[in-house]
Amino acid sequence: MAEKEKKEKPKIPRQKMPEQEPKARAKNFNEVPFGYTPELAQLEASRCIQCKKPKCIEGCPVEIDIPAFIKLILEGDFIGSARKLKERNSLPAICGRVCPQEDQCEKVCIVGKKEEPVAVGRLERFAADWEREKGEVFIPEKAPATGKKVAVVGSGPAGLTVAGDLILKGHEVTLFEALHKTGGVLIYGIPEFRLPKDIVQAEVNYLEQLGVKVECNCVIGRIETVDELLKEYDAIFLGLGAGLPQFLNVPGENLCGIYSANEYLTRSNLMKAYLFPQYDTPIARGKNVAVFGAGNVAMDSARTALRLGADTVRIIYRRSRDEMPARIEEIHHAEEEGVQFYLLTAPIKFLGDDNGWVTGVECLRMELGEPDESGRRRPVPIKGSEFQLECDLAVVAIGAGPNPLLPTTTPGLELNKRGYIVGDLETGKTSKPGVWAGGDIVTGSATVILAMGAGRKATNSIHDYLMSK
Amino acid sequence: MYKITYKREMAENTVCHFKVDAPRIARKAKPGQFVVLKANETGERIPLTMGGTDPSNGTIDLIFQVVGKSTALLRTLNVGDAIQDIIGPLGKPTHVEDLGTIVCVGGGTGVAVMYPITKAYKEAGNHVIAIIGARTKDLLILEDEMKAASHDLRVTTDDGSYGHHGFVTDVLKKILDEPKEVKLVVGIGPVPMMKFLCKLTKGYGVKTMVSLNPIMVDATGMCGACRVTVGGKTMFCCVDGPEFDGHEVDYDELVKRQRAYLTEEKASMDRFKEIGR
């Protein structure tokens, strides 16, 4: 037995990315992982067995040729690798950081059947960062001008993808953004320590270099309606995101110090309130912070609170650990940094002081019952289990819905009963001629890569439409 | 960038009037709507109601009182300078219809918000009685404009330095006591004024609309900073308002939420006084 082991080639373990120490990083907003060195990247790339029938490509919503880009890293052609990525994914530096790889490419990786899967996301990030940092961003040739004009509404992942793809096909593209900065959730939602904002800015700069016209401060539905845009543009893509915060609907929720995650993260990320008073936007800095929900946004909020000086940060979630929707890495990072998890716990009311500030939250313990319509076991309250937790800051991160501002000012745009735009999942076509939609505004809150996948499908459909017009 | 084309100091230099080049907003804005602006790269997003628009010249009127760092900073800008970001028009426009006799009540800088609304009600055919008030004569704004925008203008000052000595609610009560039926009262001003005004009109059973000004961030319904309780329900002032049925608003909650950042606002203002930016 011992002899047989000796004969086997020693296996290379999945390579970790060097990262900031938990104690140090919980006090700053710098990015947590430093990324692979070229040596680490090539070592990790050598773990890929270059399957003849790779499963990982199918596992990727935009079907990146994963074995090919990894092979180029192994061969030391890092720039070539980045270009290979960009054939299918215009935002690899972003996706390498925020994709839930464990549910996509890495989930179906053949290597992963016997050992840990190849770290596709970390390799993607490495190649994209290399290209950007070496200043060798490749500007591809555009197709000859078609004379067709497209308006893209919303500059998040879906909108950026559509804008980047359609400009290459020779169409004129204008990207409208309601906020004063482009990037959508990549700018207002995801914190600096997880996705540095200069990376997002670099992607937008790249689109502008390609010739995309960017117009910020344009709330479509107010400054121009979709019908008005249709007079000027041949096609419109709506990538509005899920811009309506959901609240718990429990008593006391309008006390001061209770934020929606959207507000908390927008203040910190978009408005840079973590740099107050150098930046003018204030943000409440709690000592005892309660965060409701257990998705990526909840982890981002909890970790932001730590960095803003909280002593205690608790994630309060009504289901159990198995149902937590966040990426494994985010949960892991949050735990390392000292975020506490109060699972199977649901808030029933907030407590406040005379000035209207939150002082605590009353909760109930839950147990898991029968599976509900989502297939997850339904949390059931345990009678008489009420207890109180102190908190001087609370963040509600239980999801977001469709913002009605544009849909309600656009006649002929069919919505489903939850208020999302009805869009064909294969083409992004809506009920309104000349109008496409994709990303969270169609599917509800999902991931950056799914929004990009939806954008890609819409691009093809819009292009066919424009060329046959 | 949005260029300032006109600047006038009003009310003992505590209120400032800008005309700003924003042709697309000027073309679209209706009475009752507002904008959000961010003066520079490090600035915060603050909501300001438009005191009017000039679509032919492509400008909007911003009338604001210096209440904190952001407005103090704004006031340092001059003709030819630019405001980095202006987003609008936001919020629902005032629902203007011909009702008969209505009373428009503006207090403090609320008069600026009230002015285009008053004008619109008059143009729609209403008989418009306007009441404007301020703490003292020098703080009174837009008297001539309000006179032109209404059929009958009454003026009050808290200290009696001009017009009626007392509050706008005193004058409103007299009007409500007259036999002529008042169909609607619109009240815009400091929260305590709107609260007491609504207490009064509720007693008379006269429908009253108010325009609220809570703290906002994105002002497109995305963050919920501006939530207000109206009729027991949580509303987002930025998209559901800014105008609401005044008899249904929880003013005490509104005041508390408006004061959420007093400490930070003071720190910010002190820093501004020290370093001038």
Side-chain angles (χ1 to χ4, degrees):
Chain A
M1 193 70 194
E3 212 158 276
K4 197 185 169 195
E5 268 179 19
K6 268 185 203 164
K7 278 180 193 165
E8 266 185 12
K9 186 182 156 194
K11 287 202 174 108
I12 300 162
R14 180 176 158 108
Q15 297 299 301
K16 290 196 171 100
M17 278 189 292
E19 59 185 30
Q20 285 195 69
E21 285 299 314
K23 272 205 176 129
R25 73 186 192 228
K27 303 272 174 253
N28 70 54
F29 278 81
N30 300 334
E31 193 177 11
V32 170
F34 300 119
Y36 280 152
T37 58
E39 296 72 33
L40 282 173
Q42 285 182 302
L43 197 58
E44 181 62 29
S46 74
R47 297 182 65 236
C48 174
I49 55 172
Q50 296 291 321
C51 304
K52 287 228 163 57
K53 286 181 185 164
K55 293 268 182 212
C56 49
I57 301 179
E58 288 168 37
C60 173
V62 295
E63 296 170 347
I64 292 172
D65 189 346
I66 293 168
F69 98 79
I70 292 181
K71 188 155 179 270
L72 286 162
I73 292 179
L74 189 63
E75 291 166 355
D77 183 2
F78 305 145
I79 299 285
S81 177
R83 283 176 196 167
K84 176 57 72 181
L85 277 162
K86 282 192 167 170
E87 284 175 10
R88 299 294 311 169
N89 181 348
S90 45
L91 310 171
I94 294 170
C95 290
R97 287 170 165 82
V98 303
C99 259
Q101 290 95 4
E102 68 258 27
D103 294 326
Q104 297 173 354
C105 49
E106 295 181 15
K107 187 182 184 178
V108 291
C109 172
I110 306 284
V111 174
K113 284 193 171 167
K114 288 206 172 149
E115 47 187 301
E116 281 197 277
V118 176
V120 179
R122 294 171 187 176
L123 289 170
E124 179 183 27
R125 167 191 164 139
F126 168 77
D129 284 359
W130 185 274
E131 186 199 33
R132 191 184 65 257
E133 284 161 13
K134 297 287 173 242
E136 294 195 42
V137 175
F138 171 66
I139 304 288
E141 193 131 334
K142 286 196 277 184
T146 61
K148 306 286 183 189
K149 291 173 80 180
V150 183
V152 175
V153 183
S155 66
L160 291 177
T161 302
V162 172
D165 285 2
L166 286 177
I167 194 97
L168 288 180
K169 290 181 190 289
H171 309 299
E172 260 183 64
V173 181
T174 305
L175 184 58
F176 292 100
E177 167 56 46
L179 293 170
H180 59 271
K181 267 212 175 88
T182 45
V185 72
L186 306 170
I187 282 286
Y188 76 74
I190 303 178
E192 181 76 17
F193 55 80
R194 198 148 78 80
L195 177 62
K197 298 307 153 225
D198 57 3
I199 294 177
V200 182
Q201 195 52 51
E203 299 297 354
V204 177
N205 292 348
Y206 166 74
L207 293 185
E208 286 190 283
Q209 275 178 290
L210 288 177
V212 173
K213 204 172 148 207
V214 175
E215 292 213 34
C216 288
N217 297 336
C218 285
V219 182
I220 303 302
R222 291 273 193 244
I223 196 157
E224 304 264 8
T225 63
V226 169
D227 283 324
E228 285 164 335
L229 288 179
L230 276 171
K231 287 179 199 153
E232 204 185 323
Y233 295 90
D234 300 295
I236 296 178
F237 175 80
L238 305 175
L240 310 176
L244 180 74
Q246 281 169 6
F247 283 94
L248 294 159
N249 292 319
V250 299
E253 204 166 15
N254 290 347
L255 287 162
C256 297
I258 303 176
Y259 288 113
S260 73
N262 271 4
E263 181 184 355
Y264 190 61
L265 294 174
T266 298
R267 281 180 183 273
S268 183
N269 302 333
L270 175 73
M271 305 310 298
K272 302 216 181 296
Y274 68 89
L275 297 174
F276 180 88
Q278 280 82 25
Y279 281 72
D280 293 338
T281 304
I283 192 165
R285 292 172 179 248
K287 284 287 156 211
N288 290 304
V289 181
V291 177
F292 301 92
N296 291 326
V297 174
M299 300 304 145
D300 287 346
S301 303
R303 297 171 69 197
T304 296
L306 277 179
R307 283 158 175 78
L308 288 171
D311 294 332
T312 314
V313 179
R314 300 181 176 110
I315 289 266
I316 297 172
Y317 182 50
R318 63 196 183 114
R319 299 180 196 256
S320 75
R321 184 168 283 267
D322 291 344
E323 289 85 20
M324 295 188 1
R327 292 173 81 213
I328 291 169
E329 186 176 75
E330 308 313 327
I331 297 170
H332 173 68
H333 276 151
E335 276 188 317
E336 274 187 345
E337 289 168 13
V339 173
Q340 300 172 18
F341 288 77
Y342 276 58
L343 304 174
L344 290 165
T345 304
I348 47 175
K349 73 171 177 200
F350 287 102
L351 314 164
D353 64 17
D354 294 342
N355 294 322
W357 268 87
V358 65
T359 56
V361 57
E362 189 168 309
C363 298
L364 259 183
R365 299 258 184 233
M366 314 292 274
E367 57 191 350
L368 291 181
E370 294 300 307
D372 62 14
E373 63 273 14
S374 71
R376 299 180 296 180
R377 292 179 65 193
R378 184 191 302 275
V380 182
I382 301 173
K383 261 191 195 152
S385 67
E386 290 87 349
F387 68 102
Q388 292 183 352
L389 284 172
E390 249 181 68
C391 70
D392 55 355
L393 181 74
V395 182
V396 181
I398 56 167
N403 188 313
L405 205 156
L406 183 142
T408 52
T409 54
T410 309
L413 187 66
E414 192 189 337
L415 308 178
N416 69 19
K417 61 176 191 286
R418 292 166 64 209
Y420 291 99
I421 296 175
V422 176
D424 186 299
L425 289 179
E426 286 312 308
T427 64
K429 262 189 195 156
T430 70
S431 59
K432 197 172 173 75
V435 181
W436 281 255
D440 286 3
I441 191 61
V442 172
T443 57
S445 294
T447 59
V448 169
I449 190 73
L450 285 172
M452 291 177 57
R456 173 65 44 77
K457 286 175 182 166
T459 298
N460 295 333
S461 174
I462 293 170
H463 179 66
D464 291 346
Y465 168 83
L466 292 174
M467 298 318 282
S468 64
K469 217 178 147 185
Chain B
M1 299 294 267
Y2 301 79
K3 221 177 196 174
I4 297 164
T5 61
Y6 168 91
K7 179 184 182 181
R8 179 165 66 111
E9 303 266 5
M10 306 159 82
E12 278 202 319
N13 303 334
T14 60
V15 178
C16 195
H17 177 189
F18 282 162
K19 281 186 187 293
V20 183
D21 217 9
R24 293 167 86 179
I25 301 174
R27 201 170 67 222
K28 269 296 165 81
K30 294 197 175 75
Q33 288 188 302
F34 64 95
V35 295
V36 157
L37 68 79
K38 181 171 173 288
N40 58 21
E41 189 54 37
T42 54
E44 60 178 334
R45 291 169 67 103
I46 55 167
L48 284 180
T49 306
M50 282 171 279
T53 56
D54 182 349
S56 57
N57 284 314
T59 60
I60 59 172
D61 293 85
L62 300 176
I63 298 175
F64 59 92
Q65 186 174 10
V66 175
V67 291
K69 193 234 160 132
S70 293
T71 41
L73 174 79
L74 205 55
R75 196 178 144 230
T76 64
L77 300 179
N78 291 304
V79 171
D81 292 341
I83 293 168
Q84 187 170 300
D85 297 290
I86 303 186
I87 303 98
L90 298 166
K92 290 183 178 164
T94 307
H95 180 70
V96 180
E97 54 183 333
D98 186 4
L99 297 164
T101 297
I102 71 155
V103 186
C104 292
V105 189
T109 31
V111 178
V113 184
M114 185 56 97
Y115 168 58
I117 297 173
T118 309
K119 215 161 84 172
Y121 273 111
K122 190 181 175 189
E123 281 163 11
N126 293 281
H127 179 77
V128 180
I129 304 169
I131 311 170
I132 60 173
R135 231 169 42 239
T136 184
K137 185 185 177 207
D138 294 333
L139 297 179
L140 200 69
I141 59 168
L142 299 175
E143 188 188 354
D144 293 341
E145 288 84 349
M146 284 298 285
K147 198 170 214 164
S150 61
H151 295 94
D152 177 1
L153 177 71
R154 322 275 177 96
V155 180
T156 74
T157 50
D158 298 0
D159 65 357
S161 52
Y162 187 63
H164 171 82
H165 183 175
F167 298 119
V168 287
T169 38
D170 306 338
V171 178
L172 178 62
K173 187 175 185 310
K174 271 188 209 150
I175 295 169
L176 293 174
D177 283 332
E178 287 165 16
K180 192 166 193 177
E181 192 189 2
V182 173
K183 290 285 191 185
L184 175 73
V185 172
V186 186
I188 304 174
V191 176
M193 180 205 106
M194 294 193 284
K195 181 181 169 178
F196 288 108
L197 181 140
C198 287
K199 221 173 175 177
L200 175 74
T201 58
K202 201 170 184 179
Y204 285 86
V206 178
K207 188 180 168 182
T208 304
M209 296 301 287
V210 293
S211 180
L212 306 182
N213 189 16
I215 291 169
M216 293 184 185
V217 184
D218 70 283
T220 62
M222 196 190 84
C223 82
C226 65
R227 49 198 202 277
V228 288
T229 302
V230 183
K233 276 192 198 149
T234 295
M235 307 289 247
F236 289 1
C237 185
C238 68
V239 286
D240 299 322
E243 290 177 24
F244 293 102
D245 180 341
H247 295 156
E248 300 287 336
V249 173
D250 183 341
Y251 295 101
D252 296 341
E253 179 187 275
L254 176 63
V255 168
K256 284 174 182 167
R257 288 186 63 83
Q258 280 181 334
R259 297 167 59 91
Y261 298 100
L262 280 189
T263 316
E264 288 85 354
E265 282 163 15
K266 190 180 174 300
S268 212
M269 192 64 191
D270 289 348
R271 188 168 182 273
F272 177 74
K273 282 179 185 158
E274 202 182 306
I275 66 170
R277 63 186 158 83

